[in-house]
């Protein structure tokens, strides 16, 4: 089978984890293609559908994240069909859910599952469950299918129904326990979020704390958000007093902290996930007849016979090859893909030597736009040419462009003179764990220093005996003399005798002991740690100090649980953001790639989901409402005032801001992300901006046709320009250069972007508002709009005039966005209607 042979190697040494990562990225499209194939229209279509479902079941039974993703997708699709009379599709969805659980839990004859996904937390039937008559029909139908499969030559050589998870190791029991625990855990959280919406605000805290305590007492808390092939981290506790309930007109999102412990390669022990060790996870199901569906088929036996006596006749091999080709044909015909945008275009022969198929190996020619590359020099020269042709915006970047070209030339000359041929660029990442820890300690010491001006140590301690913080860690310059207890704690941390958690707790305890009356002003509270509240490292240390599960594999995560909200569009938007990040990485635009902050968004149904929180960040709305706030630029100046090198740290903040602003500006333009008020834009503790909330993309916006944001490619306010030194600033020149480079990189990789959009439009247009709310726009028209956004009619890689026109178009986008009237009016509207700061 051409799918399984590409992605599921027989041994662990075959780079299987990398394949799982690739499949995980495209998981929504893989599942949506299956949904588009339902119901099969004829016997041939059914045979091909059966092969595709076998591929899905093999994925689901090979990785727990795929298993959960598959079931959540099927449940969401079933919920989408709950109000329709299209019974054949609902029947097919129920059948696959039941069959998947049957295979996963090892039922005899591979039939009898379905009670976990199709039952709610109280074990009462959902409206989605089949009726008694439908149960009989399901059983009869599966018997017929198993009989057909037992006689068919089209069985897969790596079928999961054979022996992939049939007792070869102890993984099956823990795998089943994880699956069951995670389904129940997310269902309970969604139930809490939906119930909170019906309660008065005054009851929210008590109800949430009580329900979280019940969850902790019940055990089986599931696993952390993850992707296919990633290590499993089981949830061991949800701190009941750390939750927070937000409130909006239509829903009540819940912010939660979760304690997780990462498991090793040996897997998860069964006692960690429930009491299944006595007879396996399937016994609880097999012992019950409520909600279980049985059939008389012998699919597993037939497949075992097939594997014992594999096909070796020319006729059978030719038939299998024909069906595999039919699978490709049916998939592409279901999606109505163009010849030029065929996501599954490879034949089995042509794809056998590649690691990926279709959309996964359609990479364009390599594009190097790194800061020291010929590609970057070409862009800079084009900007200079644009300035010479009268472009006012380009004129302001000319001096910076010339300096950058001179720097590239100087570097190349040095390489030639010194014969250094193997130089490499080292990307500076964000703060390490130790750097973040010392930053927390530094802020604690500085905050204490400025809030206790008359600070004094014990009388027995002479000033000559005090140790300056800088002498222990240079990063603590400016913190002044330390108390003996804190100095000793830092020494122990430096010698790795105590942990990060212990250092922060000892520092806080000592400062609390010596604390004098607070006489600080509002500005001090603003520009120190109070601007962002409790840092994540500090929060992690505080929770770890009271956790019974703390170990070297322990970690703290933060999530938001949503109900009455379909997150499939947001998850798809985040998928496209990750794809843009990959494009920037391939173009060696490390400034843009490292500035993007993707986060996990998991849709667990048509109206429920879980979102990973962004750490150490605050919305611009919250930041602007803090006492003493003036502007983003002054915020950076205040936050870096007491750094070891304030000028250098301020420059780092500004560069981080420029890089992230350029990256997200490109993304907002390409994906047409709207509703960009200051509540949907975050600023982290190192100056990066992060965009969140993607409810309005690809042409839909608040206000519809009368949207105030219409015509504005992205948000670029005067306050943002001020951080970059205005239109004549060097940082603004860097922004323009990065924006143009990023635009060209996206343009040259437009095929991958358009292919992903096309597949999703064809297979998921009914469940995403960005497609559903524009019924007058066909897929071809939608794709043409995206092509126009990227100006794919211009060949920037092969024609200098087209490159000049591409750069001119990118400059026009910046001009249109600078100080946009619509942006300002929309911020004002949000201030008047929602109280969001402008």
């Amino acid at each position: 089978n051409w799918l399984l042979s590409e992605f599921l190697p027989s041994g662990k040494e075959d780079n299987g984890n990398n394949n799982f990562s690739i499949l995980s990225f495209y998981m929504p499209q893989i599942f949506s293609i299956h949904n588009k194939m339902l119901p099969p229209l004829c016997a041939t279509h059914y045979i091909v559908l059966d092969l595709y479902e076998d591929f899905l079941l093999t994925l689901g039974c090979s990785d727990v994240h795929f298993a959960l993703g598959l079931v959540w997708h099927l449940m969401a699709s079933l919920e989408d069909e709950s109000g329709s009379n299209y019974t054949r599709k609902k029947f097919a969805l129920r059948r696959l859910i039941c069959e998947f659980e049957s295979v996963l839990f090892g039922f005899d004859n591979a039939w009898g599952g379905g009670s976990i996904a199709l039952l709610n937390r109280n074990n009462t039937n959902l409206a989605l469950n089949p009726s008694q008559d439908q149960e009989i029909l399901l059983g009869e139908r599966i018997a017929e299918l198993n009989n057909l499969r037992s006689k068919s030559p089209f069985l897969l050589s790596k079928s999961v129904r054979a022996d992939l998870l049939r007792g070869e190791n102890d993984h099956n029991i823990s795998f089943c326990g994880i699956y069951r625990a995670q389904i129940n855990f997310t269902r309970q959280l969604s139930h809490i979020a939906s119930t909170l919406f019906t309660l008065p605000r005054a009851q929210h805290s008590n109800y949430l704390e009580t329900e979280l305590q019940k969850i902790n007492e019940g055990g089986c808390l599931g696993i952390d958000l993850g992707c296919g092939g990633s290590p499993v981290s089981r949830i061991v506790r949800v701190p009941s007093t750390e939750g927070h309930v937000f409130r909006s007109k239509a829903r009540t999102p819940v912010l939660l902290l979760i304690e997780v412990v990462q498991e090793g390669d040996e897997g998860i022990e069964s006692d960690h996930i429930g009491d299944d060790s006595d007879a396996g996870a399937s016994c609880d199901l097999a012992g019950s007849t409520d909600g279980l569906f049985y059939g008389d088929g012998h699919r597993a036996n037939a497949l075992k016979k097939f594997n014992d006596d594999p096909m070796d006749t020319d006729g059978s091999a030719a038939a299998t090859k024909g069906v595999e080709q039919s699978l490709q044909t049916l998939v592409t015909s279901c999606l109505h893909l163009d010849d030029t945008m065929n996501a599954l275009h490879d034949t089995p022969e042509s794809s056998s030597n590649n690691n990926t198929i279709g959309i996964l190996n359609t990479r364009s020619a390599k594009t190097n736009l790194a800061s020291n590359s010929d590609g970057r020099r070409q862009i800079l020269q084009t900007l200079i040419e644009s300035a010479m042709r009268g472009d006012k915006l380009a004129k302001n970047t000319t001096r910076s462009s010339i300096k950058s070209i001179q720097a590239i030339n100087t570097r190349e000359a040095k390489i030639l003179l010194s014969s250094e041929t193997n130089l490499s660029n080292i990307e500076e990442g964000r703060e390490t764990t130790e750097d973040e820890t010392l930053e927390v300690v530094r802020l604690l010491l500085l905050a204490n220093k400025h809030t206790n001006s008359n600070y004094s140590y014990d009388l027995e301690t002479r000033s000559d005996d005090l140790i300056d913080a800088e002498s222990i860690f240079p990063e603590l310059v400016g913190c002044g003399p330390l108390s003996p207890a804190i100095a000793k704690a830092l020494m122990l941390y430096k010698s790795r005798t105590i942990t990060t958690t212990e250092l922060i707790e000892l520092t806080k305890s000592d400062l609390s002991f010596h604390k004098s009356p607070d006489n600080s002003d509002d500005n001090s509270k603003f520009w120190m740690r109070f601007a962002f509240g409790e840092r994540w490292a500090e929060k992690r240390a505080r929770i770890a100090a009271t956790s019974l599960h703390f170990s070297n594999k322990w970690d703290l995560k933060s999530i938001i649980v949503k109900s009455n909200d379909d997150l499939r569009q947001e998850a798809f938007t985040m998928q496209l953001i990750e794809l843009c990040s990959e494009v920037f990485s391939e173009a060696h635009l490390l400034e843009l790639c490292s500035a993007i902050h993707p986060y996990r968004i998991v849709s667990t149904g048509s109206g429920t989901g879980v979102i990973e929180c962004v750490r150490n960040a605050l919305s611009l709305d919250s930041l602007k409402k803090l006492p003493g706030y003036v502007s983003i630029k002054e915020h950076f100046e205040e936050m870096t005032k007491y750094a070891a090198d304030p000028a250098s740290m301020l420059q780092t903040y500004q560069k981080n801001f420029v890089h992230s602003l350029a990256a997200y500006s490109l993304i907002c333009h390409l994906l047409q992300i709207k509703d960009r008020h200051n509540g949907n834009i975050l600023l982290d503790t190192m100056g990066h901006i992060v965009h969140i909330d993607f409810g309005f993309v690809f042409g839909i916006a608040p206000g519809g046709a009368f949207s105030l944001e219409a015509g504005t490619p992205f948000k670029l306010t005067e306050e943002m320009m001020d951080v970059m030194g205005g239109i004549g600033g060097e940082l603004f020149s860097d922004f323009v250069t990065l924006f143009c480079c990023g635009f060209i990189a996206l343009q040259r990789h437009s095929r991958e972007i358009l292919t992903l959009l096309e597949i999703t439009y064809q297979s998921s247009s009914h469940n995403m508002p960005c497609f559903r709310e524009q019924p007058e726009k066909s897929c071809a028209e939608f794709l043409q709009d995206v092509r126009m956004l990227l100006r794919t009619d211009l060949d920037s890689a092969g024609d200098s005039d087209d490159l000049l026109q591409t750069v001119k178009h990118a400059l026009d986008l910046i001009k249109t966005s600078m100080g946009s009237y619509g942006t300002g009016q929309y911020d004002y509207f949000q201030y008047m209607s929602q109280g969001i700061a402008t």
Side-chain angles (χ1 to χ4, degrees), residues 131 145 188 198 254 284 287 292 343 422 541 605 633:
S131 64
L145 297 181
Q188 290 178 67
T198 65
V254 181
D284 291 340
L292 303 183
N422 295 318
K633 181 181 179 181

Side-chain angles (χ1 to χ4, degrees), residues 486-541:
I486 294 180
K488 183 176 181 180
L490 286 170
M491 288 290 201
L492 292 173
Y493 178 74
K494 190 172 185 178
S495 63
R496 303 191 182 280
T497 304
I498 63 175
T499 64
T500 295
T501 299
E502 292 169 331
L503 171 63
I504 295 176
E505 285 300 307
L506 287 172
T507 302
K508 291 173 65 177
S509 298
D510 188 73
L511 294 178
S512 176
F513 178 77
H514 289 289
K515 189 174 182 180
S516 63
D518 186 3
N519 58 2
S520 62
D521 59 348
D522 289 337
N523 287 335
S524 297
K525 292 182 178 180
F526 160 71
W527 54 259
M528 297 310 299
R529 61 189 295 270
F530 307 99
F532 288 89
E534 187 179 31
R535 295 295 181 95
W536 183 257
E538 188 178 353
K539 186 189 297 290
R540 185 180 183 276

